[in-house]
Amino acid sequence: FTGSRRPYFSPVSFVHPPSMPGSAWTRLWKLHGSVNWSWEDFSGSSSRRIVRGHERGDGELIFPSLHKYDESRKQPYISMLDHFGRSLERPGGAVLVVVGYSFGDDHINEIIFDALDAHDRTHVIALQYEELGEDHELMRRSARRRNLLVYGPDTAVVAGERCPWALADPVDSQTADLLDIPFDSDAAPDTDVIATAGRFRLGDFNYFARF
């Protein structure tokens, strides 16, 4: 968005390097709209632009519907999705951490999976809130690609192999507090108990934000 008073959406900013974050930045992608985005008509003109203002009920949020794919090919989503795809196809590779998405939208899956197929140095870590069945597209693809990792609450797929979660090393007083956020287990500090089963919970926004 460009400007300070009623800032408007500028697709050109996506292809203008000086306006983009540097390589050291972590980029947060939110691939739908917001309730404070709306269309605004130019006065005395038939042109319109997307502005960011106060929250309103008819904002440009994409709601789940039969028309979601068609809506995603309009502005501002087409610019966001195109730039998202280019970011995943950088020559040096990229690391994408996915939270709160169950890979149910084909138009987003196509961008992610195409990048993984074309670039071995691009990796995706998919944190899932619920366990996915073996017939889910994400699980089938993760079994074939080493650069697609899926972390579910009960199992994880790493290097194409799906296994249940377990602590491989004893927990000590320094790691207990940190591990307690992403991993729910009955392991106690300063014991020799290892390979303790537990539940991974970073697919839950509450624990992900705390972590």
Side-chain angles (χ1 to χ4, degrees), residues 71-89:
E71 292 172 353
S72 72
R73 303 313 298 173
K74 301 176 183 177
Q75 292 291 14
Y77 313 110
I78 188 170
S79 293
M80 296 168 66
L81 290 171
D82 287 347
H83 184 62
F84 176 57
R86 289 195 299 271
S87 296
L88 294 180
E89 296 178 352

Side-chain angles (χ1 to χ4, degrees), residues 98-105 109 113 126-130 132 136-138:
V98 181
V99 188
Y101 175 56
S102 60
F103 289 78
D105 292 328
N109 292 349
F113 294 147
L127 308 180
Q128 297 296 292
Y129 181 76
E130 297 178 340
L132 300 178
H136 194 282
E137 180 69 10
L138 180 62

Side-chain angles (χ1 to χ4, degrees), residues 1 5 7 12 47 66 77 101 130 142 154 160 162 166 168 195:
F1 286 83
R5 182 180 182 276
V12 177
S47 299
L66 295 175
Y77 313 110
Y101 175 56
E130 297 178 340
S142 64
D154 299 319
R162 185 174 191 175

Side-chain angles (χ1 to χ4, degrees), residues 9-204:
F9 180 77
S10 175
V12 177
S13 65
F14 284 117
V15 293
H16 185 55
S19 68
M20 299 304 296
S23 59
W25 285 56
T26 296
R27 305 177 185 205
L28 174 63
W29 292 91
K30 178 172 172 281
L31 293 180
H32 48 79
S34 292
V35 293
N36 62 346
W37 294 7
S38 60
W39 285 103
E40 181 179 78
D41 295 326
F42 281 111
S43 77
S45 170
S46 60
S47 299
R48 298 194 304 165
R49 64 184 181 184
I50 298 168
V51 299
R52 188 178 64 216
H54 297 294
E55 181 177 326
R56 48 189 292 181
D58 58 347
E60 295 304 307
L61 185 69
I62 293 183
F63 296 99
S65 70
L66 295 175
H67 305 291
K68 184 165 60 172
Y69 180 79
D70 293 334
E71 292 172 353
S72 72
R73 303 313 298 173
K74 301 176 183 177
Q75 292 291 14
Y77 313 110
I78 188 170
S79 293
M80 296 168 66
L81 290 171
D82 287 347
H83 184 62
F84 176 57
R86 289 195 299 271
S87 296
L88 294 180
E89 296 178 352
R90 289 181 297 183
V95 177
L96 173 67
V97 179
V98 181
V99 188
Y101 175 56
S102 60
F103 289 78
D105 292 328
D106 290 339
H107 60 287
I108 297 178
N109 292 349
E110 182 180 0
I111 295 173
I112 296 174
F113 294 147
D114 284 353
L116 289 176
D117 290 340
H119 303 277
D120 290 337
R121 297 184 66 182
T122 291
H123 287 72
V124 170
I125 303 172
L127 308 180
Q128 297 296 292
Y129 181 76
E130 297 178 340
E131 280 292 309
L132 300 178
E134 295 292 345
D135 59 340
H136 194 282
E137 180 69 10
L138 180 62
M139 305 308 294
R140 292 200 299 266
R141 288 181 178 267
S142 64
R144 303 194 303 265
R145 295 215 61 90
R146 300 178 66 89
N147 56 349
L148 175 57
L149 293 78
V150 181
Y151 292 169
D154 299 319
T155 64
V157 181
V158 179
E161 184 177 359
R162 185 174 191 175
C163 294
W165 284 102
L167 295 178
D169 299 299
V171 177
D172 58 33
S173 58
Q174 293 182 331
T175 59
D177 290 341
L178 180 62
L179 283 174
D180 185 54
I181 300 174
F183 193 70
D184 181 22
S185 77
D186 56 359
D190 300 319
T191 68
D192 294 330
V193 177
I194 61 174
T196 302
R199 188 172 177 85
F200 181 78
R201 50 192 184 186
L202 287 191
D204 184 331

